[in-house]
Amino acid sequence: MMASSDWIEVQRLAAEFQRTQLSSTLQKLSEKNCIEIVSKLIELKLIDVFYTNDGKEYITLEQLSKEICDELYLHGGRISLTELVPILNISYHAIESRAQNISQTKSEIHLVSGQLIDEDHLDRIAEEINENLQQSGQITVVELSKQYELPMEFVLQLIRSRLGTVIQGQQDKHDHHVFFTEGFLARNRARIRGALSAITVPTSVSTIIAQNKLPERLLFAFADELINTKRIQASLSGGRQVNVATFIPEIHSRSQNEWIDNFLKQNGYLEYAALTRLGLGDPKSFCRKRFKDTSLLYLSSCCVGSNILGQIEAAIEEAISSQSWVEVLPLLPSVFDDEDAEQIIQHVLKTSQNIPDKDALVIGQSAVTSNSFVQNLKIIFKPMIEEKASEVVASGDYLQSLADQRNAKGKSFKPEQANEKKDRKEERRKKANEGKLGGGTQGRETKTRATKKKYGKGKNDSDDENEGDVVGTNSASLELEFMSIEDISNVLKKQENVSDAPDEFVEDIATRLYPSLQASFQEAARLAFEALLSSTSGQRRQTHSELQDRLQLLLQNIKQGEKAIQFFTSLDVQQQLCRHLLKTSGSELVNELVSYVSQDTSVASDSKDLSPEARQKIISGLPQNVRVPLQGLHKATQGANVEEFISETEVALSACDIVLRKVDKKKDKAIPTQQRHLLIEQLNAAKDAALVLHVAVLLLFHTVTQTVLNASGRFVPQIITFLQSHLSPSTAELLSTLQGLVIQELTSKGDEELLETIRQKMEDLIPRVRETAVTFKKSATQD
């Protein structure tokens, strides 16, 4: 046996050897060559393959599809694409593309949310759904979607396609995502019928559901069915919202409707809050449905019948016809508010044919009056307007207001307009100058006309830029106010026909009257101002003459002061005295001139005691033909050159059309005497030692030089130094002693004992200084 098997093996090997010798030679390919050949075939698109994730193998599309289907079968008909990646060792992208191809070519396989599912698996799911449905009586697509981790629409389609075959049930008509069994519907229909039949009072649907544990979805459907078939005598109000809807039995509705009808008939209105207390969830909708054939006005808090609307219409009609007013809210029941009253008024005015809509005026929310009533109230303020207009014109407030308005308007002028005005003024000035060249009476007459044109204020004058601004400017923000709204309200409250009106009504009327009263006041003030200008035109000649006398006297004092200053040999002292002279007498002269020129302009000033800053501000607002000369004169007062000041004065007087009279020699000779008497009066009135010394040395200087020196107290030492050569030694010593005591008093503050001694000595010297200054004669010094 052993030998026989060995022999058979030998024969087999011999046959294989012989077959090998007879076969042709085979060519073996290396792995690299295989890779290159496959790559070339892929490049030429002769084959279409996928690489494995490790890159060692290739797989064709058909093979990949076959393996995917095999794995789907092995996994029970449902597998995720992500699970196939490690199993097949192929990329997710490749698997996803083939899965899409499979779902498109094979109707029994579906690609859902990254999963492959076949029909067998869906049938098993449908059987499970049917079992759950039969057990619970109802199912929802939302719950199934969560349970099977499938989209809701896919689950819904799954159930619909098998409803009546695999799945025994029916779909909810109101919610397509809910399914019931016939037994479930029958049980709940019976429960809902029993619960609703037992209710005798209005009950909220939420309460019914909570107490009976009824399905919310079925309650409304079965309730509507039972009500429509007359199985239950009741109604549902508030729509199909659980928290709002209310179930109302007919027996309750009948008594409720009777109460509502009687209340509306007796009172003429229905309050929504009262209907809500009766159990109505939406009172306004109920009223619209219940009284659809009745004319009611639906307001925010209630609805109103025709009786109340008729009463309000009659009250408004009477108030308008009698030119009075009516407050509507007190005429309405207490449940009505301001908003309801306003809606009623608007409705009555819109629908009534007896009330002229244009004459009716609604004040606030609930008051009605007529435009005629408001216009009649304006008559009350007419005397007050005239009185206040006269006051503001007389006080100068109106003129100042015009000035402020002119300045505000001037800021918005365009340069082109200003240049045009300037050119016209230049032409007028040239014509005036040509008239002046005629000389004699004719030249003086031309000058008089020019003065009237520049400063004579008239209604139709518009040549001068200031006059044009005064007449034309009407800036509301800078106008004088006649009365505030509060003041107007106070006046109205004193009137008999408004005294019992609410404060809001009076304030609203005052607000409406304010613009027209303000306009009337402005017009009255303008007329009063023009009347004042007309009445003052006759006083101009007298004022002009008085101004000439004052300017003539001031100019003489300045010239006398300059003459007195020349007695001092120190140039520094002369310069200081000249500066003081121009700051005092010079400034007084400029103030007189500026005050006069500005009287008929918008920058008028009654004050003659102007600071340099105030004077400059007034000059800046004057017409250019007088502004430039006055600015030069104003600048001269800040210097120390008296001759320059006198020269600028002559230019300014010419520009202002003021001609000074020729100096009266008799009056001129009397001036030194008058000045001496004035100084003596000041000396006798003086009590303070420093003032006594100041006036005394000025009086002595006047006696010595026959000139009046304008000097302040700081120049007393220089004046005493000058007088020493003209006084007796005793007189000079007396003045020096008093001067020393005055200086000691000023420097000895705090030492009361020393001050008392100094004051006692000064009191002893003051009578002697007075007597010496008054009795001093120039001839005595010459002797």
Side-chain angles (χ1 to χ4, degrees):
M1 188 69 179
M2 179 66 77
S4 179
S5 62
D6 291 340
W7 176 247
I8 293 172
E9 180 67 22
V10 170
Q11 286 180 338
R12 187 182 63 79
L13 292 174
E16 289 183 0
F17 180 71
Q18 185 180 6
R19 188 170 56 254
T20 302
Q21 287 178 334
L22 293 175
S23 66
S24 61
T25 305
L26 297 175
Q27 297 294 332
K28 298 186 70 175
L29 297 177
S30 66
E31 183 178 348
K32 181 178 181 181
N33 292 335
C34 291
I35 294 173
E36 291 177 354
I37 291 171
V38 173
S39 300
K40 188 64 176 178
L41 292 173
I42 294 173
E43 182 180 350
L44 296 174
K45 297 184 178 179
L46 296 177
I47 62 172
D48 193 1
V49 296
F50 289 117
Y51 291 95
T52 58
N53 288 338
D54 56 10
K56 294 180 179 182
E57 296 177 355
Y58 302 101
I59 186 170
T60 62
L61 275 63
E62 292 76 8
Q63 180 62 28
L64 179 58
S65 298
K66 181 179 180 300
E67 292 185 6
I68 290 174
C69 292
D70 293 342
E71 291 296 331
L72 176 62
Y73 177 77
L74 293 174
H75 284 78
R78 180 174 181 177
I79 188 170
S80 173
L81 299 184
T82 55
E83 296 179 13
L84 290 172
V85 173
I87 295 173
L88 301 178
N89 196 23
I90 299 297
S91 67
Y92 181 85
H93 175 70
I95 294 174
E96 184 182 26
S97 65
R98 296 315 300 164
Q100 292 176 351
N101 180 263
I102 292 170
S103 65
Q104 293 173 1
T105 57
K106 296 183 179 183
S107 59
E108 70 275 8
I109 298 178
H110 307 276
L111 178 61
V112 182
S113 300
Q115 302 179 75
L116 283 174
I117 306 174
D118 61 11
E119 285 292 333
D120 293 337
H121 184 77
L122 294 179
D123 290 339
R124 289 192 294 272
I125 292 177
E127 292 174 357
E128 293 178 7
I129 291 174
N130 185 57
E131 291 178 3
N132 293 334
L133 178 59
Q134 300 306 320
Q135 292 177 2
S136 61
Q138 69 169 347
I139 57 173
T140 63
V141 175
V142 176
E143 295 173 354
L144 296 176
S145 177
K146 293 179 181 179
Q147 179 181 350
Y148 293 104
E149 298 181 355
L150 293 174
M152 291 178 58
E153 292 300 324
F154 184 78
V155 175
L156 182 60
Q157 182 62 29
L158 166 65
I159 299 174
R160 281 179 173 177
S161 63
R162 292 165 175 78
L163 195 63
T165 54
V166 179
I167 301 175
Q168 300 298 323
Q170 64 179 5
Q171 192 175 18
D172 189 350
K173 296 179 181 179
H174 300 286
D175 189 353
H176 297 310
H177 288 139
V178 179
F179 294 86
F180 306 103
T181 63
E182 288 295 339
F184 179 81
L185 293 176
R187 289 194 303 271
N188 283 283
R189 180 182 289 107
R191 293 177 61 202
I192 293 172
R193 182 174 62 245
L196 298 182
S197 299
I199 297 175
T200 58
V201 295
T203 307
S204 65
V205 172
S206 59
T207 303
I208 298 173
I209 293 174
Q211 291 183 354
N212 297 277
K213 298 181 180 179
L214 299 174
E216 176 184 329
R217 300 180 183 88
L218 299 178
L219 178 64
F220 289 103
F222 289 157
D224 290 339
E225 178 184 338
L226 294 170
I227 293 172
N228 293 333
T229 58
K230 303 297 182 179
R231 175 63 181 80
I232 294 178
Q233 302 296 323
S235 63
L236 277 174
S237 65
R240 300 182 66 88
Q241 298 181 8
V242 176
N243 296 328
V244 178
T246 302
F247 177 79
I248 305 174
E250 185 176 355
I251 184 173
H252 180 271
S253 300
R254 191 180 303 113
S255 59
Q256 185 182 68
N257 291 338
E258 291 178 359
W259 183 90
I260 292 173
D261 293 343
N262 293 332
F263 188 91
L264 177 62
K265 184 177 180 180
Q266 294 174 6
N267 299 281
Y269 73 95
L270 286 174
E271 185 186 6
Y272 298 150
L275 300 183
T276 302
R277 289 192 295 270
L278 291 177
L280 296 176
D282 189 355
K284 184 178 288 189
S285 300
F286 172 83
C287 292
R288 291 183 185 276
K289 184 178 179 181
R290 176 71 178 171
F291 304 104
K292 57 184 178 181
D293 297 330
T294 305
S295 177
L296 296 179
L297 176 61
Y298 294 92
L299 306 176
S300 58
S301 62
C302 59
C303 57
V304 188
S306 57
N307 291 337
I308 292 180
L309 295 177
Q311 296 173 9
I312 299 303
E313 180 180 356
I316 294 176
E317 183 179 355
E318 181 182 357
I320 293 177
S321 61
S322 62
Q323 294 187 0
S324 181
W325 63 275
V326 61
E327 178 71 22
V328 173
L329 190 59
L331 304 178
L332 297 172
S334 59
V335 298
F336 287 70
D337 55 17
D338 290 335
E339 185 177 353
D340 296 330
E342 183 179 12
Q343 294 180 17
I344 291 175
I345 292 171
Q346 296 298 335
H347 175 78
V348 168
L349 294 179
K350 184 177 179 180
T351 58
S352 176
Q353 298 180 355
N354 299 325
I355 301 175
D357 187 42
K358 293 184 179 180
D359 196 32
L361 188 63
V362 180
I363 304 298
Q365 289 184 301
S366 60
V368 182
T369 184
S370 63
N371 287 310
S372 303
F373 174 76
V374 177
Q375 294 301 320
N376 291 337
L377 292 176
K378 291 175 59 177
I379 302 175
I380 303 170
F381 295 90
K382 187 175 181 180
M384 305 177 191
I385 290 175
E386 295 177 353
E387 181 182 356
K388 185 163 185 179
S390 302
E391 290 178 0
V392 297
V393 170
S395 64
D397 293 340
Y398 179 74
L399 194 59
Q400 182 61 41
S401 174
L402 294 180
D404 296 339
Q405 295 176 39
R406 184 199 62 80
N407 292 333
K409 184 177 180 181
K411 294 179 181 178
S412 62
F413 279 175
K414 296 181 179 179
E416 295 80 1
Q417 296 174 343
N419 292 334
E420 291 177 3
K421 287 187 177 183
K422 182 177 180 181
D423 294 339
R424 291 198 298 267
K425 288 174 59 185
E426 290 293 339
E427 292 177 3
R428 295 197 302 270
R429 189 176 296 109
K430 288 180 181 179
K431 291 181 182 180
N433 291 334
E434 290 173 1
K436 293 176 185 178
L437 294 177
T441 306
Q442 185 177 358
R444 181 59 180 269
E445 186 65 26
T446 302
K447 185 177 295 184
T448 304
R449 287 200 300 268
T451 302
K452 290 181 179 179
K453 192 171 185 179
K454 291 174 185 174
Y455 304 114
K457 190 75 178 76
K459 179 178 180 180
N460 298 322
D461 293 341
S462 59
D463 292 334
D464 186 78
E465 62 179 355
N466 291 302
E467 293 176 357
D469 289 343
V470 170
V471 175
T473 302
N474 188 22
S475 177
S477 60
L478 298 175
E479 287 181 350
L480 290 175
E481 186 179 45
F482 166 59
M483 275 188 180
S484 65
I485 294 178
E486 183 179 358
D487 294 336
I488 296 175
S489 301
N490 294 333
V491 174
L492 293 176
K493 289 177 182 178
K494 298 177 182 178
Q495 306 305 313
E496 184 178 355
N497 55 350
V498 192
S499 59
D500 57 342
D503 292 341
E504 294 79 6
F505 178 85
V506 177
E507 185 176 353
D508 197 303
I509 294 292
T511 304
R512 294 173 184 270
L513 288 175
Y514 180 84
S516 59
L517 293 178
Q518 184 68 13
S520 301
F521 169 68
Q522 292 297 325
E523 179 65 17
R526 184 184 66 80
L527 295 176
F529 181 68
E530 292 177 356
L532 178 64
L533 290 178
S534 300
S535 64
T536 55
S537 60
Q539 301 175 0
R540 173 164 292 281
R541 293 180 181 178
Q542 181 179 356
T543 304
H544 189 79
S545 177
E546 294 175 356
L547 175 68
Q548 287 178 321
D549 294 339
R550 291 195 300 270
L551 294 178
Q552 183 75 52
L553 179 61
L554 288 171
L555 198 57
Q556 288 180 351
N557 290 341
I558 292 172
K559 291 179 179 179
Q560 286 282 338
E562 182 190 20
K563 184 178 179 181
I565 292 172
Q566 301 304 321
F567 285 99
F568 293 90
T569 57
S570 173
L571 295 178
D572 182 53
V573 174
Q574 287 185 4
Q575 188 176 15
Q576 293 181 27
L577 288 171
C578 288
R579 193 178 300 277
H580 177 75
L581 175 65
L582 295 180
K583 281 188 177 182
T584 53
S585 298
S587 294
E588 187 178 354
L589 185 145
V590 178
N591 289 344
E592 288 281 355
L593 197 55
V594 169
S595 299
Y596 174 76
V597 172
S598 65
Q599 282 180 1
D600 292 333
T601 67
S602 58
V603 292
S605 174
D606 295 334
S607 176
K608 304 267 182 86
D609 188 15
L610 299 173
S611 65
E613 293 77 11
R615 186 167 64 237
Q616 177 61 43
K617 182 178 179 180
I618 295 175
I619 293 174
S620 300
L622 295 174
Q624 186 177 4
N625 61 326
V626 294
R627 181 173 66 245
V628 174
L630 287 177
Q631 283 180 340
L633 182 60
H634 169 72
K635 185 177 180 181
T637 60
Q638 312 299 318
N641 193 330
V642 179
E643 293 181 359
E644 179 186 357
F645 176 82
I646 294 174
S647 177
E648 292 290 345
T649 301
E650 294 175 354
V651 174
L653 291 174
S654 176
C656 298
D657 295 318
I658 298 176
V659 179
L660 299 181
R661 302 186 185 91
K662 186 178 292 186
V663 178
D664 190 341
K665 293 184 178 181
K666 293 183 179 179
K667 292 183 178 179
D668 189 46
K669 290 182 179 179
I671 289 177
T673 304
Q674 295 174 358
Q675 293 172 341
R676 174 178 173 81
H677 290 162
L678 181 61
L679 288 173
I680 292 174
E681 290 178 1
Q682 293 177 358
L683 181 62
N684 292 331
K687 302 296 182 182
D688 184 69
L691 182 59
V692 170
L693 179 63
H694 180 201
V695 179
V697 296
L698 291 179
L699 180 59
L700 290 171
F701 186 90
H702 177 269
T703 304
V704 171
T705 63
Q706 293 300 300
T707 59
V708 176
L709 179 64
N710 189 343
S712 62
R714 60 189 294 265
F715 294 103
V716 169
Q718 290 83 349
I719 300 174
I720 292 176
T721 302
F722 168 77
L723 292 175
Q724 283 181 350
S725 60
H726 301 277
L727 302 175
S728 62
S730 59
T731 302
E733 179 65 25
L734 179 62
L735 295 176
S736 299
T737 303
L738 184 57
Q739 179 187 2
L741 291 174
V742 170
I743 294 173
Q744 276 188 304
E745 183 185 22
L746 296 175
T747 57
S748 301
K749 299 295 183 182
D751 192 345
E752 295 297 331
E753 184 177 350
L754 179 59
L755 284 174
E756 186 63 29
T757 304
I758 294 172
R759 288 168 185 163
Q760 185 63 41
K761 291 180 179 179
M762 288 192 297
E763 289 179 2
D764 296 339
L765 292 178
I766 285 174
R768 296 172 55 192
V769 171
R770 282 201 186 111
E771 182 181 1
T772 302
V774 172
T775 59
F776 178 79
K777 301 294 183 181
K778 184 177 179 181
S779 58
T781 60
Q782 292 175 346
D783 296 340

